[in-house]
Amino acid sequence: MGRWKVVVTDWEFADLRYEEKVLGGGPFELIPAQCRTEEEVIAACRDADAILNQYAPLGRRVVEALNRCRVIVRYGVGVNTIDLAAATEKGICVANVPDYCLDEVSDHALALLLNLARRITAADRLVKRGEWDFKRAAPVRRLRGQTVGLVGFGNIPRILAAKLKPLGFRLIAHDPYVPQAVAEERGVSLVSLDRLCREADIVSVHAPLTAETRGMIGREQLRSMKPQAYLVNTSRGPVVDEGALLEALREGWIAGAALDVVEEEPIRPDHPLLSMEQVILTPHMAWYSEEAMEELRTKAAEAVREVLQHGRYPRYLVNLEVMEQALPGKRQ
């Protein structure tokens, strides 16, 4: 009996010790790769039984080249690196790990939001330039009574809402897939995106990247925001139209932005956002804590084991349509 071939297409961790703890030895052969292109993924994964994926592209051409693959697991929440339709057509389970960093991302969004509202980074820059004058950081407004607009109301923004509420913020959200009652029981009013942008003092983006959400915060939305309003994005860069955001910041449509994500990562050295004093940037780290990293990698590896060794659908199956097809039985 051969061993199951599990390929890690790419990773930015120091090692693969958590994956090896779950999938090292026994019936599994864990194969590390550092693929950047579709060609490299095809070469590494053509005969893989399972794939662990971080950022390497798994488009239709890649998926159609897979001969034996039964499950692809993405490190993280979003699965925009994977062609879901192609995977479903081939009967390949696609799974993610949606619950590993709920506190981390909501904490990071809260930190960025408070940083903007209290002008922490702006004041720090002033002091380090020798300007000991609070008036240079003005205006700063009282938090209590300000409105935070949450774009998306899934798990992370619901946790963020619970953290914001004791600070006295008014909370509104836009999410066409969430019932009004679900929001209301958390003290949040569901509104249209247009109304959210008009009313919010701080807009915090938490929408997944899909064809529907790409560029959903664009010129029209930014133009309708208050000139003293701030934008926070801890979801995916392309959810915000970066060209429109640059125009909004240059023209003063909004007061500033805090971004953990940008359209193209890593951000290029000459990007205009880097020179804007009213912008705070972090390197796509909202998800990160040592505990979250261990949980992410362990759960991703366990999803592979569930499918290959136990013949079960992974706990966090993304393409539920694949369940209409028979999951091949576990190897005897």
Side-chain angles (χ1 to χ4, degrees):
M1 182 183 73
R3 301 169 74 193
W4 283 300
K5 180 178 177 180
V6 181
V7 176
V8 187
T9 61
D10 60 309
W11 74 95
E12 55 184 4
F13 320 123
D15 52 45
L16 293 175
R17 64 184 184 273
Y18 299 118
E19 293 82 356
E20 289 167 355
K21 187 175 180 180
V22 177
L23 299 172
F28 302 104
E29 180 185 6
L30 189 65
I31 300 175
Q34 284 291 16
C35 305
R36 293 291 178 266
T37 66
E38 288 197 339
E39 289 74 17
E40 291 173 345
V41 176
I42 291 171
C45 299
R46 189 184 301 275
D47 295 320
D49 296 287
I51 295 171
L52 289 167
N53 167 254
Q54 189 168 26
Y55 299 123
L58 278 75
R60 176 170 288 274
R61 190 162 67 92
V62 174
V63 172
E64 289 180 347
L66 302 176
N67 295 324
R68 300 188 339 209
C69 187
R70 292 168 59 192
V71 59
I72 300 169
V73 185
R74 170 95 211 299
Y75 287 119
V77 181
V79 291
N80 47 291
T81 58
I82 305 162
D83 190 316
L84 288 178
T88 303
E89 289 167 17
K90 290 205 71 167
I92 300 172
C93 297
V94 176
N96 62 353
V97 188
D99 60 350
Y100 76 100
C101 62
L102 302 181
D103 268 321
E104 283 78 7
V105 178
S106 59
D107 285 345
H108 200 83
L110 176 62
L112 293 177
L113 184 156
L114 293 176
N115 189 324
L116 287 170
R118 290 298 309 170
R119 305 274 289 153
I120 302 298
T121 295
D124 173 74
R125 289 170 178 162
L126 287 170
V127 172
K128 288 177 179 176
R129 289 201 299 258
E131 301 183 51
W132 189 269
D133 183 358
F134 76 89
K135 295 186 293 296
R136 296 280 287 115
V140 173
R141 297 174 54 229
R142 179 176 293 165
L143 299 181
R144 186 169 297 277
Q146 289 195 52
T147 298
V148 174
L150 304 168
V151 179
F153 201 60
N155 290 329
I156 289 170
R158 292 179 198 185
I159 293 172
L160 176 60
K163 294 173 180 178
L164 289 168
K165 206 157 186 59
L167 298 175
F169 286 105
R170 171 179 173 250
L171 302 175
I172 58 177
H174 171 72
D175 194 321
Y177 302 103
V178 172
Q180 186 78 33
V182 171
E184 288 178 352
E185 69 186 14
R186 292 166 172 81
V188 178
S189 300
L190 284 182
V191 298
S192 68
L193 182 58
D194 288 344
R195 180 178 167 187
L196 183 147
C197 291
R198 289 196 310 270
E199 295 186 6
D201 298 290
I202 302 167
V203 173
S204 188
V205 181
H206 302 277
L209 179 60
T210 65
E212 183 182 6
T213 64
R214 184 178 292 272
M216 72 181 296
I217 304 298
R219 195 175 192 279
E220 179 182 349
Q221 290 72 35
L222 292 162
R223 198 73 181 90
S224 68
M225 289 172 62
K226 302 174 183 179
Q228 71 271 26
Y230 295 108
L231 178 74
V232 177
N233 188 7
T234 53
S235 59
R236 288 290 184 270
V239 175
V240 176
D241 182 329
E242 209 162 86
L245 176 60
L246 288 169
E247 185 179 7
L249 292 164
R250 288 177 179 132
E251 299 296 323
W253 302 349
I254 63 175
L259 310 171
D260 185 55
V261 289
V262 292
E263 279 189 357
E264 184 180 342
E265 298 177 3
I267 193 168
R268 65 180 192 271
D270 63 343
H271 199 292
L273 287 170
L274 295 173
S275 62
M276 291 183 165
E277 290 283 316
Q278 71 273 47
V279 175
I280 298 168
L281 294 162
T282 56
H284 201 154
M285 62 176 286
W287 64 273
Y288 169 69
S289 72
E290 289 296 311
E291 294 82 359
M293 184 182 290
E294 178 178 355
E295 183 177 350
L296 167 66
R297 295 164 58 188
T298 300
K299 285 184 172 179
E302 288 173 345
V304 168
R305 186 175 62 189
E306 282 297 293
V307 174
L308 295 185
Q309 191 168 28
H310 301 297
R312 294 195 288 257
Y313 291 106
R315 180 180 181 186
Y316 299 118
L317 179 65
V318 176
N319 56 339
L320 296 175
E321 302 89 341
V322 82
M323 294 180 72
E324 297 174 4
Q325 308 169 42
L327 182 68
K330 67 180 181 180
R331 185 176 299 178
Q332 301 299 317

